[in-house]
Amino acid sequence: MDNGAMENFFGRLKVEMFYGEKFESVNAFIDELNEYIHYYNHERISFRLKMSLVQYRTHFHII
């Protein structure tokens, strides 16, 4: 199976959230990671879809 979708996500995660950052603790990292995942799914506009992932799934009723 192709894991390109996950490789893309983790690549974006590293570039947009992780590189150059220093976290005070593991809990601080986990909190920041949860915020990023929420942003990625709910607010970040996909260039290809022209909407966020949640908007796309809601618009087309994909679960």
Side-chain angles (χ1 to χ4, degrees):
M1 293 191 82
D2 183 20
N3 63 349
M6 289 310 299
E7 288 180 11
N8 183 47
F9 170 76
F10 283 113
R12 292 281 77 200
L13 171 85
K14 289 189 281 188
V15 168
E16 294 178 356
M17 183 209 130
F18 190 68
Y19 286 139
E21 294 292 324
K22 300 223 184 239
F23 300 97
E24 295 178 11
S25 66
V26 172
N27 287 334
F29 171 75
I30 291 171
D31 291 341
E32 194 71 29
L33 181 61
N34 285 330
E35 287 179 26
Y36 178 79
I37 290 171
H38 182 271
Y39 160 77
Y40 188 89
N41 285 318
H42 293 269
E43 299 171 27
R44 184 176 179 273
I45 303 299
S46 169
F47 182 74
R48 185 174 55 92
L49 300 176
K50 309 284 190 257
M51 59 182 72
S52 75
L53 297 174
V54 170
Q55 288 171 328
Y56 179 79
R57 287 188 294 253
T58 302
H59 181 74
F60 292 103
H61 303 291
I62 298 172
I63 295 176

